[in-house]
Amino acid sequence: MDWLVSLIGAAMVLVILRDVFHTLWHPTRHGGLSRIVMTGLWRLLPLGRAVRRAAGLVGPLGMVGVVVMWASGVSVGWALVYWPHLPEGFAFSSSLEPAEHSGPVDALYISLVIVATLGLGDIAPEEGWLRVVAPLEALVGFALLTATVSWVLGIYPALARRRTLALRICHLRSAGLMPRQLESDAGAAVLDGLACDITRVCVDLAQYPESYYFHDGPGDTSLARTIRFAADLAAQARRAEHAGVRLAASVLAAALDDLAAVLDDRFLHTQGTAQQVLAAYAHDHGSR
């Protein structure tokens, strides 16, 4: 029975480590604990859509919730590994009575001290295999810290690229771009640049799916609000007489189709056309 508890704790740690791996280094559409947390918070968004400031907190709060889940899962999992072996497998300082410090709270305390690499030394592993397992927990704790930093450093540049693209599309719309103005090499370059930026955003959403749950706001930095203008621009340009413009428009339309495919496959699940998916994307992010 004691070993069963330890095995449950080890399995819990492995589940958390698998989730960290899939979230940061091998993103997949097959779910995961982090996606469940982010999606759950996002589904609460309609309850507070009238409060834009609250909607903007969904992404950051989701990341905090995921990190807390990772840290808590690892700490509790290792505590379950240690608990059945208290107090026999540990050495206690002279000021502590071993029989009084062998409960689940004490096991959690040991786990938290080790995962945080505090090394207080009042309770230390003494049994052979525990002396090997405890440093592994410290390594996992350091890896979680590194993973959190790398996650933040990955997601926020992706958000910046998405908002930059939204602003660029908004500037083109504000400039009153007319179909006849696209009949030039400059027009083809504009469309080609839009296609490249949309492709980068598409890759960002595939690499960092959690970035979808960051609300860009109702203004010009919201890609959900502006992306349909890019689709309209591509549709107009495909009827141009300039061969380069038609080619660039086709590339832009293909990039938009890829973006719609990623959005629908991973988040929206409408199984509709690209235009329907982009409309659903705008609705899901509160844009009308």
Side-chain angles (χ1 to χ4, degrees):
M1 184 63 182
D2 289 348
W3 281 104
L4 178 60
V5 174
S6 295
L7 288 175
I8 292 173
M12 189 173 181
V13 172
L14 290 176
V15 168
I16 295 296
L17 293 180
R18 179 187 180 278
D19 190 64
V20 174
F21 175 77
H22 280 292
T23 299
L24 299 181
W25 298 296
H26 190 258
T28 173
R29 68 182 180 87
H30 297 297
L33 298 177
S34 59
R35 292 288 300 279
I36 291 172
V37 171
M38 300 292 288
T39 304
L41 286 174
W42 185 257
R43 286 175 179 173
L44 294 176
L45 180 61
L47 299 177
R49 218 168 234 161
V51 185
R52 293 176 181 174
R53 186 173 299 178
L57 291 176
V58 170
L61 286 179
M63 289 188 70
V64 171
V66 170
V67 172
V68 169
M69 176 195 65
W70 286 344
S72 301
V74 166
S75 300
V76 172
W78 243 286
L80 291 175
V81 172
Y82 299 143
W83 182 26
H85 307 283
L86 281 170
E88 296 84 1
F90 291 82
F92 294 77
S93 66
S94 57
S95 61
L96 297 178
E97 179 62 40
E100 297 177 358
H101 295 279
S102 58
V105 175
D106 301 286
L108 182 60
Y109 163 75
I110 295 169
S111 178
L112 289 172
V113 167
I114 294 174
V115 78
T117 64
L118 294 177
L120 300 180
D122 52 348
I123 306 177
E126 186 176 46
E127 193 171 327
W129 69 276
L130 288 173
R131 290 167 63 87
V132 175
V133 169
L136 290 178
E137 183 183 7
L139 288 175
V140 169
F142 181 76
L144 282 179
L145 176 61
T146 305
T148 300
V149 173
S150 65
W151 199 25
V152 171
L153 293 179
I155 279 188
Y156 278 92
L159 293 175
R161 288 188 289 270
R162 190 169 81 193
R163 290 163 183 167
T164 300
L165 171 60
L167 277 173
R168 185 179 183 189
I169 295 173
C170 181
H171 293 160
L172 291 174
R173 184 177 60 190
S174 300
L177 198 62
M178 303 295 293
R180 59 183 176 78
Q181 294 175 297
L182 294 174
E183 296 280 356
S184 64
D185 292 338
V190 168
L191 297 176
D192 188 58
L194 276 181
C196 290
D197 291 342
I198 290 171
T199 301
R200 291 190 187 97
V201 169
C202 187
V203 172
D204 286 337
L205 285 170
Q207 183 68 28
Y208 298 102
E210 294 78 15
S211 65
Y212 175 86
Y213 303 105
F214 279 73
H215 188 70
D216 290 329
D220 296 337
T221 58
S222 173
L223 184 63
R225 183 184 179 93
T226 60
I227 191 64
R228 283 179 290 181
F229 178 77
D232 294 340
L233 205 60
Q236 294 173 7
R238 295 184 79 170
R239 299 189 295 269
E241 296 181 2
H242 193 288
V245 172
R246 291 198 305 272
L247 177 60
S250 296
V251 174
L252 175 57
L256 287 166
D257 287 343
D258 287 343
L259 176 61
V262 170
L263 289 170
D264 201 43
D265 184 50
R266 292 180 175 240
F267 311 106
L268 299 171
H269 311 296
T270 67
Q271 298 183 346
T273 64
Q275 289 289 341
Q276 290 171 333
V277 172
L278 294 180
Y281 175 45
H283 182 271
D284 198 36
H285 276 254
S287 299
R288 299 291 188 273

